[in-house]
């Protein structure tokens, strides 16, 4: 079985193709990760094609799709989710969602409590607390970096948000952004019935309203 995973909830576009045989450890076949701030629409589809090509596979070979559901900024996150749903419908394969913060935690392999924080712009972060890399203990939240320290005063914080606000959060190192390899590995573990963060519906975790607003009614012009 071939599982295609990708995430666009951060400044990175990350794509991976993983081979999975039930009862056997998953094996990454190809992967790409690059920082493309605010260019997700332009680069996601070409990067998917690149990963499939490097693995000698075609979309018809896929058995499942895994997509990061955020939290993340509205536009970038929407690109990944729309692409996942479109491919899933066209190919007739299931689409599974994974919290982007969970993917970062999973890749860290940390066994002691910690927090993950990613960039939410507006001088805020998306964040959550973990007992270990496979167990999230709070719902994802958005707020200023100080809010993380208020809730988790003594915990190390990883992720891009920690790197941006190291003066408050004390950057504890990587990973900074989600890895599609970790995304696929987490999903395969759960599909195999093993413990780990729950798979989610492929629906966005926005946590706040988008910046764009519908225009209001036109004002009447008096004679």
């Amino acid at each position: 079985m071939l599982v295609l995973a990708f995430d666009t909830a951060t400044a990175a576009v990350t794509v991976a193709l993983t081979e999975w045989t039930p009862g056997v450890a998953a094996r990454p076949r190809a992967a790409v990760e690059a920082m493309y701030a605010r260019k997700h629409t332009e680069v996601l589809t070409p990067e998917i094609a690149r990963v499939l090509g490097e693995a000698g596979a075609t979309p018809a070979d896929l058995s499942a799709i895994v997509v990061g559901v955020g939290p993340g900024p509205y536009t970038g996150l929407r690109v990944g989710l729309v692409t996942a749903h479109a491919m899933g419908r066209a190919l007739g394969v299931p689409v599974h969602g994974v919290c982007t913060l969970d993917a970062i935690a999973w890749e860290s392999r940390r066994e002691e409590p910690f927090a993950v924080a990613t960039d939410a712009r507006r001088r805020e972060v998306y964040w959550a607390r973990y007992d270990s890399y496979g167990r999230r203990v709070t719902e994802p939240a958005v707020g200023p970096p100080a809010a993380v320290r208020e809730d988790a005063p003594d915990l190390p914080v990883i992720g891009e948000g920690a790197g941006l606000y190291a003066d408050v959060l004390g950057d504890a190192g990587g990973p900074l952004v989600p890895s599609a390899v970790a995304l696929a590995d987490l999903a395969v573990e759960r599909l195999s019935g093993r413990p780990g963060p729950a798979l989610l519906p492929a629906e966005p975790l926005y946590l706040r309203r988008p910046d764009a607003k519908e225009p209001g009614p036109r004002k009447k012009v008096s004679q």
Side-chain angles (χ1 to χ4, degrees):
M1 300 173 65
L2 292 181
V3 178
L4 177 69
F6 49 87
D7 190 293
T8 59
T10 69
V13 173
T14 176
V15 183
L17 185 68
T18 292
E19 184 174 356
W20 170 44
T21 301
V24 180
R27 179 174 68 90
R29 289 272 298 273
V32 63
E33 181 179 302
M35 301 298 287
Y36 288 114
R38 306 194 184 192
K39 292 185 178 180
H40 301 72
T41 302
E42 295 93 328
V43 303
L44 177 58
T45 300
E47 294 292 27
I48 290 173
R50 174 183 166 188
V51 165
L52 290 172
E54 288 181 359
T58 69
D61 297 323
L62 299 178
S63 299
I65 295 170
V66 180
V67 61
V69 299
Y74 179 81
T75 303
L77 183 54
R78 182 178 59 181
V79 170
L81 287 163
V82 168
T83 301
H85 280 293
M87 292 186 68
R89 284 195 297 269
L91 300 171
V93 299
V95 179
H96 305 286
V98 169
C99 173
T100 298
L101 302 176
D102 290 352
I104 295 173
W106 188 263
E107 186 179 3
S108 77
R109 312 310 284 184
R110 288 174 176 258
E111 299 283 359
E112 301 297 327
F114 65 99
V116 176
T118 59
D119 183 18
R121 303 174 188 168
R122 306 182 194 176
R123 297 192 62 78
E124 293 185 330
V125 293
Y126 298 114
W127 64 280
R129 281 194 290 114
Y130 294 79
D131 271 351
S132 69
Y133 70 91
R135 178 176 163 79
R136 175 160 46 86
V137 294
T138 64
E139 291 298 314
V142 61
V148 183
R149 272 291 161 243
E150 289 174 5
D151 188 73
D154 301 319
L155 296 185
V157 183
I158 66 172
E160 186 182 24
L164 289 171
Y165 304 105
D167 57 329
V168 177
L169 300 178
D171 182 11
L176 298 178
V177 295
S179 158
V181 172
L183 210 73
D185 184 64
L186 188 161
V188 166
E189 288 291 299
R190 296 299 290 142
L191 292 171
S192 300
R194 290 187 282 272
L199 295 180
L200 304 173
E203 301 297 335
L205 291 173
Y206 288 133
L207 301 190
R208 66 186 182 200
R209 295 180 181 275
D211 293 330
K213 296 181 179 179
E214 293 184 5
R218 292 184 179 181
K219 295 182 178 179
K220 293 183 179 180
V221 179
S222 57
Q223 296 294 330

